[in-house]
Amino acid sequence: MPHRIAVIGGGAAGFFAAIRAKEVNPDAIVTIYEKGERPLAKVAITGGGRCNLTNSFANVSDLKRVYPRGDKFMKRLFKTFDYQDTFRWFESHGVPLVTQDDQCVFPRSQDAMSIVRCLTNEARRLGVDILTKHTLTGIERKDNRTILLFNDSEKRIETERIIITTGGYPKSSSFDYLARLGHEISAPIPSLFTFNINDKSLRSLMGTVVENAAIGIVGEKMRSEGPLLITHWGMSGPAVLKLSSYAARFSHEHQYRFNVSVNWIGESNTSIIADIIRTTAEANASKFVTNAQPLIHHSVDNREWENSSQNGGIKRGVLPTRLWDYLMQKIGIPADKRWNETGKKWQNKIVEVLSNDIYHVEGKSSWREEFVTCGGISLSSINPSTLESKHMPGLFFAGEVTDVDAITGGFNLQAAWTMGYVAGESAAR
């Protein structure tokens, strides 16, 4: 009798698991069961419809910085299938890829449907069956048989192997059928979200982007860097989304109410900032502060700063004019104050607002392009080499259903490809 493998969930991890299982064991009957009407729906919209499918990892020295939960787990799995393997796999299957300056990897077509079509066509070519409108509601073991219950027991299917790739669940109750089998569940909570800030003056700057900001939670060590976007509800952008991932459980425990400190220029050394402000005041003595902001330059690695009009390989980072005006108003500098009238007191205030500008977060907003959860099947319940359940032989997990999640930049999809590959290979063998 042919080996039967049921893949629960028709997303990135599910398709990759099914494809790899069929490659390893061509005689196996591999079926994807998707609860929705359309497989790979999330892949189709990720990255703004362009699909940021992985990252070059060129700027990643520590996986903990991109996988706040599951870094050691992913490091082990990367030995079997990593980001370089992902790049080669898609290109060898007819999808040319490009790596952006920020190291995010996209299909050259800039169309997520290139990835969707590639996975769908490859699954069908290998003979993988794809069934939609199938919602798994339970797993039964009877007389050494495994039976899957779909659509409230309306459909019962027997199988030898199961790979759960359902993605993250918003409620712990959705994991009940797996908890009953003995699996430990880490409570699911959002891990990518933006910050609601009730400051009308700040929010009036909606659309303003600061390319080299840093943001951290006051009183905690959690901090992130990168572009920061001011929105009509508060703050968003890569820097905020990364911080929301690092602080997912902290934010939840504090009911999404806490203070954040924004460093608008990304330089943590206040002595350097003070020197820049002093030099600016001397060079622009008769000019209004609002009309002559510091010309702050920094090297690509953010370690070398200077106040100079010469570039020499150094990238200029001047704050948007509206933001500079807002910050000066915030600390009380009149519009008609000139630099030679500032003195040490006012210059210290400028240094403080540039490097340690405090805001109170009063809630979160979901990120429109992606919903990622922190939590799921505890990694203590999973074999780290095969992704097989420690509580039920023949049951495997891959993707966001596990307690592995990442920051933005293609890292979550890379986890899906890696875990799907390993789970599919393990189940097929």
Side-chain angles (χ1 to χ4, degrees):
M1 187 173 182
H3 195 53
R4 289 168 296 188
I5 302 173
V7 179
I8 313 301
F15 266 78
F16 228 61
I19 288 169
R20 184 55 183 162
K22 198 68 174 172
E23 287 174 341
V24 173
N25 188 347
D27 294 328
I29 299 173
V30 181
T31 306
I32 295 174
Y33 297 94
E34 164 59 34
K35 68 177 181 180
E37 296 183 359
R38 194 162 54 96
L40 296 167
K42 189 172 178 180
V43 173
I45 64 172
T46 189
R50 297 189 299 134
C51 192
N52 179 191
L53 74 158
T54 187
N55 192 285
S56 75
F57 283 71
N59 297 332
V60 179
S61 58
D62 182 358
L63 286 183
K64 184 70 175 177
R65 296 298 296 168
V66 294
Y67 291 103
R69 286 150 293 273
D71 59 305
K72 293 182 176 62
F73 203 74
M74 291 306 304
K75 184 177 182 179
R76 184 166 187 163
L77 294 174
F78 277 169
K79 294 178 181 178
T80 300
F81 191 91
D82 67 5
Y83 45 93
Q84 295 174 320
D85 295 313
T86 295
F87 199 105
R88 286 190 290 265
W89 192 95
F90 279 99
E91 289 217 315
S92 68
H93 285 78
V95 183
L97 305 178
V98 293
T99 304
Q100 296 184 163
D101 291 342
D102 61 2
Q103 305 308 315
C104 293
V105 178
F106 290 84
R108 185 184 298 167
S109 65
Q110 298 294 298
D111 184 1
M113 291 309 296
S114 298
I115 303 299
V116 172
R117 286 191 291 269
C118 171
L119 294 171
T120 303
N121 292 340
E122 183 63 10
R124 287 173 175 159
R125 185 187 72 81
L126 292 170
V128 174
D129 294 320
I130 305 170
L131 300 179
T132 58
K133 299 181 181 179
H134 279 65
T135 302
L136 182 67
T137 54
I139 300 174
E140 292 183 353
R141 293 297 298 269
K142 290 185 178 180
D143 302 325
N144 294 323
R145 295 183 304 151
T146 301
I147 300 171
L148 304 179
L149 308 179
F150 290 94
N151 305 351
D152 294 326
S153 302
E154 177 186 321
K155 298 176 182 178
R156 301 169 66 87
I157 296 171
E158 188 174 333
T159 188
E160 282 81 41
R161 297 283 186 273
I162 310 164
I163 307 176
I164 304 290
T165 65
T166 51
Y169 290 124
K171 297 180 180 179
S172 294
S173 59
S174 301
F175 290 93
D176 285 350
Y177 74 100
L178 294 168
R180 286 193 290 270
L181 297 173
H183 299 98
E184 181 182 344
I185 309 298
S186 180
I189 58 174
S191 67
L192 282 181
F193 49 87
T194 60
F195 296 164
N196 294 346
I197 297 174
N198 188 22
D199 183 327
K200 291 182 180 179
S201 296
L202 175 74
R203 297 189 309 196
S204 69
L205 303 178
M206 61 177 289
T208 299
V209 177
V210 180
E211 293 292 342
N212 300 288
I215 182 170
I217 294 177
V218 175
E220 302 293 327
K221 294 182 179 180
M222 290 167 280
R223 183 177 183 272
S224 67
E225 307 83 21
L228 186 151
L229 169 67
I230 299 174
T231 68
H232 66 275
W233 65 85
M235 294 180 184
S236 184
V240 170
L241 293 169
K242 280 195 289 185
L243 183 60
S244 76
S245 181
Y246 299 150
R249 295 220 172 270
F250 172 91
S251 302
H252 181 73
E253 291 166 1
H254 289 78
Q255 300 180 317
Y256 302 97
R257 283 170 170 77
F258 48 87
N259 290 334
V260 292
S261 168
V262 180
N263 184 314
W264 293 108
I265 57 178
E267 170 56 54
S268 59
N269 191 326
T270 55
S271 296
I272 293 177
I273 302 174
D275 287 341
I276 292 171
I277 299 303
R278 185 174 58 256
T279 304
T280 300
E282 294 170 354
N284 300 276
S286 62
K287 294 182 180 179
F288 296 127
V289 174
T290 53
N291 291 343
Q293 64 165 294
L295 294 182
I296 301 168
H297 302 265
H298 60 95
S299 64
V300 175
D301 64 5
N302 284 328
R303 284 194 297 267
E304 182 184 348
W305 288 74
E306 63 179 34
N307 185 41
S308 165
S309 59
Q310 298 179 352
N311 241 340
I314 295 176
K315 204 172 176 180
R316 178 175 292 184
V318 182
L319 290 180
T321 300
R322 287 200 303 159
L323 176 60
W324 174 257
D325 291 345
Y326 160 77
L327 293 175
M328 295 306 98
Q329 291 172 15
K330 184 175 182 179
I331 61 177
I333 290 185
D336 60 354
K337 182 174 283 292
R338 301 178 190 276
W339 273 108
N340 61 4
E341 300 171 335
T342 55
K344 189 171 183 181
K345 173 185 174 182
W346 287 108
Q347 289 179 23
N348 286 342
K349 286 187 176 183
I350 295 174
V351 172
E352 182 68 12
V353 79
L354 289 177
S355 63
N356 186 33
D357 195 14
I358 307 297
Y359 295 90
H360 182 65
V361 176
E362 298 183 32
K364 64 176 178 62
S365 297
S366 59
W367 188 29
R368 70 184 187 280
E369 293 181 345
E370 194 161 351
F371 180 75
V372 174
T373 57
C374 152
I377 303 297
S378 172
L379 301 185
S380 64
S381 293
I382 305 172
N383 183 311
S385 298
T386 64
L387 300 184
E388 186 172 19
S389 164
K390 293 181 179 179
H391 303 281
M392 179 178 170
L395 174 63
F396 300 81
F397 297 100
E400 201 186 331
V401 71
T402 67
D403 190 15
V404 174
D405 65 281
I407 64 172
T408 60
F411 302 106
N412 280 297
L413 271 179
Q414 180 56 55
W417 310 132
T418 295
M419 297 173 77
Y421 185 96
V422 172
E425 182 169 288
S426 301
R429 293 192 188 285

